[in-house]
Amino acid sequence: MRSHADHGAAQRLASTAVLLAIACALGYLESVLMPPLPLPGMRLGLAYIVIVIALAIHGPRVAAVVSLGRVLLVALAVGTLGGPQFLLSFGGAVAALAAMVVLSYAGPSFSVVGWSVLGSAAHVVGQLLLAAALVSSTAPLALLPVSLALSVPLGLAVGYTARLLVSRIPDLSLSAAGR
Amino acid sequence: MTRGDVLVVIAIVAVALLSVPSAGAMLAPAGGAAVLHGPGGSTTVDLSSPGTYVVEGRSGQVEFRVADGEVFATSAECPDHLCVGMGAAAPGRPVVCAPNGVSASIVSGRGEGLDAVSR
């Protein structure tokens, strides 16, 4: 059984807002400051550090608010809301969140590192499937092998970073993140 | 990492390796033609005939150039211009502008399938 920190409603709301703000800042900075990776749409996924932390500390509902809220707010900031880029980001976020939530309920056999790796892979698969639908062609799916291979080290980096950060936060009772 | 995490990594790497033949099959070996896809339809272009092609995308135009048997994007009206930086399309490696819904992929010269599809 996974345990979550015992916060009051106000504390949870404040914590969610802080996590959402950090995720938005990381997502926005990554999109405008960092050079793109060799594959189209690939990012380091810095915002997922925060999303994984939100899932570990508060659970799926807060993680969903942080993840999907981040996509919406960053799209508003860069002016892509409702466009194809937003659809790709949203689809990837939904796929990643679903995968991480499923694994988080799978038991103590999986830690935040495993959640992050699976979420990273699900993100790229979701985006490539959506891209294929947008261009009405299977051509984007030809990028699947390399994208999946790249998603593993990126997911590991995000997962280990999230675990390190959570371990530095006092007064939290975490069974999954502590491993 | 737990044992379960290691299994997740192994499973993803295995899926990536297993998807290599399928990914290659989606785009046939290099031939003399490329297919330019866009929201308005698809066009087959002959790679032996140099030229410039403009494809109307969802939010702008993407310009492709055929030269020296290759097709590559030369300009795009999208935020990142990732397609322009991808270089020439190759079998298994299409040039894709996802925001515009436009792509250029190499197809076989053996005449498999349709030459063009208009919608």
Side-chain angles (χ1 to χ4, degrees):
Chain A
M1 180 181 292
R2 182 166 50 88
S3 63
H4 302 287
D6 183 20
H7 293 296
Q11 279 184 304
R12 184 184 295 266
L13 181 62
S15 178
T16 302
V18 169
L19 291 170
L20 177 59
I22 296 172
C24 288
L26 288 174
Y28 180 76
L29 287 174
E30 190 177 39
S31 68
V32 300
L33 291 181
M34 302 185 77
L37 295 176
L39 290 177
M42 287 291 286
R43 294 278 190 266
L44 293 178
L46 297 178
Y48 277 93
I49 297 173
V50 181
I51 295 165
V52 170
I53 290 174
L55 181 61
I57 296 175
H58 295 299
R61 191 171 298 177
V62 172
V65 169
V66 173
S67 177
L68 303 181
R70 180 255 324 177
V71 172
L72 280 169
L73 291 173
V74 172
L76 269 173
V78 301
T80 59
L81 186 64
Q85 207 165 355
F86 165 75
L87 286 176
L88 292 175
S89 296
F90 195 84
V94 168
L97 184 65
M100 290 193 293
V101 168
V102 167
L103 206 61
S104 71
Y105 279 107
S109 300
F110 304 96
S111 72
V112 292
V113 177
W115 303 354
S116 178
V117 172
L118 187 64
S120 178
H123 184 97
V124 300
V125 170
Q127 286 205 318
L128 288 176
L129 288 174
L130 266 176
L134 281 174
V135 301
S136 301
S137 165
T138 58
L141 297 178
L143 301 171
L144 187 62
V146 179
S147 297
L148 273 179
L150 271 180
S151 73
V152 171
L154 294 175
L156 286 172
V158 167
Y160 275 112
T161 303
R163 190 174 77 172
L164 177 65
L165 290 173
V166 169
S167 69
R168 304 291 184 180
I169 301 174
D171 302 327
L172 287 176
S173 175
L174 299 162
S175 60
R179 269 181 267 122
Chain B
M1 283 176 75
T2 65
R3 187 174 300 174
D5 297 340
V6 174
L7 287 176
V8 169
V9 172
I10 291 172
I12 292 170
V13 173
V15 169
L17 290 174
L18 290 173
S19 65
V20 169
S22 302
M26 289 176 193
L27 298 166
V35 176
L36 305 181
H37 293 280
S42 302
T43 302
T44 301
V45 298
D46 186 356
L47 294 179
S48 63
S49 301
T52 301
Y53 302 87
V54 177
V55 181
E56 194 68 39
R58 296 178 194 278
S59 55
Q61 294 180 335
V62 180
E63 183 180 278
F64 293 98
R65 183 172 300 169
V66 175
D68 299 326
E70 294 179 326
V71 59
F72 44 92
T74 53
S75 69
E77 295 175 359
C78 59
D80 296 330
H81 302 280
L82 294 177
C83 55
V84 178
M86 288 183 69
R93 186 180 175 275
V95 174
V96 177
C97 180
N100 277 307
V102 172
S103 69
S105 51
I106 303 295
V107 295
S108 169
R110 290 174 294 176
E112 295 176 350
L114 302 173
D115 290 326
V117 176
S118 61
R119 298 190 184 95

